[in-house]
Amino acid sequence: MNDNDSLKSVFTGSVLEADFIKSLLEESGIGAMVRNTMGESLVAGWVSGGPEDAGIVYVIENHEEEAKKIIEYYLASKE
């Protein structure tokens, strides 16, 4: 990643599921990052949002489409 790369959000859900999706993406060679918004707000002294949407997965922009396909496949397999 360099200064010209921008991050794109590809999934929002529980932190547990976001961490799992991050591992799926990394197994496919896509670097990913999870932001825990609930944990961040607790450290700051307030609670924002809830546990069902506290995990946000980010990838660099040029991996966004491939990451979304992997996530869609995973989510479809859960149904």
Side-chain angles (χ1 to χ4, degrees):
M1 185 169 171
N2 62 49
D3 291 342
N4 296 326
D5 291 333
S6 62
L7 294 175
K8 296 293 182 176
S9 170
V10 292
F11 176 80
T12 301
S14 73
V15 174
L16 183 64
E17 191 163 34
D19 284 335
F20 180 74
I21 287 174
K22 176 183 181 251
S23 69
L24 287 177
L25 294 174
E26 289 175 341
E27 287 174 6
S28 297
I30 299 172
M33 172 182 107
V34 174
R35 180 176 175 200
N36 180 346
T37 58
M38 192 167 168
E40 291 170 3
S41 66
L42 286 169
V43 169
W46 69 84
V47 178
S48 174
E52 66 279 350
D53 65 352
I56 305 171
V57 179
Y58 293 93
V59 298
I60 60 173
E61 188 172 23
N62 61 341
H63 291 295
E64 180 181 14
E65 292 304 316
E66 185 180 355
K68 285 182 176 181
K69 288 178 186 176
I70 292 168
I71 293 166
E72 286 174 19
Y73 180 78
Y74 161 71
L75 294 174
S77 72
K78 286 179 37 177
E79 295 177 358

